[in-house]
Amino acid sequence: MNTVKRLLFLSVFLFLFSLPNGFSQSFPDFNIRLTNGKTVSSNQLSPDKPMIIIVFSPDCSHCTLLMDDLFKNISSFKKAQIIMATFVQNNDIIAFEKKYKTANYPNITVGVDMPFFFLQKYYKLTSTPFTVLYDKNRKLITSYTNEKITGDLIKRLQALN
């Protein structure tokens, strides 16, 4: 293999493996069904703010650790639109909303990922929590597959503003 072909192969290889979790870097078009029955489209979300998408389950212990830490630091997330998407039924989501008082935060949207498991399939998830940060232009910044992320997420979010 000549040098040019080797460099081209290496470039393509590095690009493919630099994609977090192997998913597309483009921003997904998705819907979230709220507990009041209304549906919110990703196109309806604030176009001038960074976007944080968290795929979680209210009964997941790792997700609870993430949420506890995130809500302890919630003032650091005022300039971001936060989508919390799950696949559980309304009763579990209502309890989650009450526990974390999500109605007090106009930048937070909590609901069921629609169609079911769309985001799970899009991001090729095998576990929760999963968090992804996009800038205000919907360019992928980073993604996380664990619960110990709040400090790094705050730093990256501050760097965007």
Side-chain angles (χ1 to χ4, degrees):
M1 201 186 273
N2 70 29
T3 305
V4 173
K5 285 184 181 178
R6 227 179 278 150
L7 286 173
L8 181 61
F9 174 79
L10 182 61
S11 297
V12 170
F13 178 81
L14 290 174
F15 173 75
L16 289 175
F17 284 95
S18 69
L19 296 175
N21 294 333
F23 60 83
S24 168
Q25 290 195 2
S26 62
F27 187 76
D29 289 327
F30 61 90
N31 295 299
I32 300 294
R33 188 183 68 226
L34 309 179
T35 54
N36 65 8
K38 293 181 181 178
T39 299
V40 175
S41 164
S42 58
N43 297 327
Q44 296 171 295
L45 301 171
S46 184
D48 59 342
K49 292 182 178 183
M51 175 76 61
I52 299 169
I53 300 172
I54 302 172
V55 180
F56 77 105
S57 178
D59 63 352
C60 158
S61 62
H62 296 283
C63 299
T64 301
L65 290 171
L66 169 61
M67 296 304 175
D68 289 346
D69 197 34
L70 184 120
F71 280 95
K72 282 180 194 169
N73 297 285
I74 199 66
S75 62
S76 298
F77 295 94
K78 286 181 182 178
K79 295 183 179 180
Q81 176 76 47
I82 302 173
I83 300 301
M84 297 180 176
T86 187
F87 45 85
V88 299
Q89 297 303 313
N90 269 358
N91 291 342
D92 294 327
I93 301 170
I94 290 169
F96 173 86
E97 289 176 320
K98 285 180 182 176
K99 176 180 179 180
Y100 292 104
K101 299 178 175 84
T102 59
N104 295 340
Y105 308 102
N107 63 318
I108 296 178
T109 303
V110 181
V112 176
D113 174 20
M114 297 299 292
F116 286 115
F117 302 109
F118 172 80
L119 291 172
Q120 181 183 14
K121 291 173 188 170
Y122 182 85
Y123 292 119
K124 300 177 184 174
L125 303 181
T126 57
S127 64
T128 56
F130 173 78
T131 306
V132 63
L133 171 63
Y134 293 91
D135 69 11
K136 66 181 181 178
N137 298 314
R138 303 303 185 248
K139 178 182 175 232
L140 177 67
I141 302 301
T142 192
S143 66
Y144 307 90
T145 57
N146 62 57
E147 70 278 4
K148 297 178 182 180
I149 65 162
T150 307
D152 187 66
L153 186 57
I154 290 169
K155 285 182 207 170
R156 290 179 187 262
L157 193 55
Q158 288 171 343
L160 294 176
N161 293 317

